[in-house]
Amino acid sequence: MKHRTACLLFCGSEVALIRRPRSGGDHYSIPGGNVGHAEDIHDALRRELAEELRLDLDDADGLHLAWLQDQMVHRPGNTAAPRKLHLVFRAFISEAVRGGLATVEHDDFEDGDICWLDYRELVGIHLYPGVGVKAAALASPRAVISAADVLLPPLSDDTFQWR
């Protein structure tokens, strides 16, 4: 099973997302990526946030594991649906740190814009992984996440479609 680490990064009430235009509508991703073979999860998160946002994780505070999501979704093409476990962290940065972050994410496949949305708007967008409903329901960005809310409903072909 593959593991993907990601971080819902807050600056005030807004979160950083990667937006990619698609014919069926914009696709949003939480910054992060796959954990390499024998790579520590925190090292992978640090590497991915540096690559995608130009963020030094030492400039963030309150980093903690917030949500887990199981995935078995077919991607376009003939590849089998890979089983993946998403480890979604939450962290917080200041306006000063935000000012130094990237505005475009360069990916091996395609570029995406870094956009900032109010966390309460996450429920209405096509978001990967699917933390939108739980994140939008938080009373505040730093609200405690109950143990019952950590495990998210799985991503499957019935609940998620690649655009």
Side-chain angles (χ1 to χ4, degrees):
M1 175 187 301
K2 292 183 178 184
H3 294 87
R4 182 180 187 274
T5 186
C7 185
L8 196 60
L9 183 66
F10 281 84
C11 182
S13 64
E14 293 184 320
V15 294
L17 300 173
I18 302 167
R19 177 179 51 215
R20 293 186 176 90
R22 299 283 196 264
S23 59
D26 289 345
H27 175 101
Y28 295 85
S29 297
I30 298 171
N34 291 329
V35 177
H37 179 71
E39 185 178 25
D40 177 84
I41 290 169
H42 285 99
D43 291 343
L45 182 63
R46 178 177 295 281
R47 174 182 52 76
E48 288 290 343
L49 294 178
E51 289 173 3
E52 295 181 350
L53 298 178
R54 305 291 181 249
L55 174 68
D56 180 341
L57 201 49
D58 291 338
D59 292 335
D61 70 87
L63 179 70
H64 64 279
L65 182 61
W67 297 283
L68 299 170
Q69 188 167 48
D70 191 13
Q71 170 192 322
M72 280 211 37
V73 177
H74 288 86
R75 292 191 78 128
N78 295 328
T79 59
R83 185 86 183 257
K84 191 176 288 191
L85 180 64
H86 295 270
L87 300 112
V88 183
F89 290 79
R90 181 171 57 161
F92 308 90
I93 60 169
S94 67
E95 285 285 342
V97 170
R98 178 178 168 174
L101 297 182
T103 58
V104 176
E105 182 263 347
H106 299 286
D107 189 282
D108 293 340
F109 302 106
E110 63 184 306
D111 294 345
D113 295 327
I114 306 300
C115 66
W116 292 84
L117 296 178
D118 188 287
Y119 77 97
R120 292 163 289 217
E121 296 174 18
L122 298 182
V123 72
I125 65 172
H126 190 67
L127 182 63
Y128 178 81
V131 304
V133 171
K134 293 293 185 178
L138 293 172
S140 70
R142 292 184 183 262
V144 173
I145 298 169
S146 74
D149 288 333
V150 170
L151 185 59
L152 300 171
L155 288 178
S156 70
D157 289 335
D158 293 331
T159 62
F160 185 85
Q161 298 296 315
W162 291 105
R163 293 184 173 175

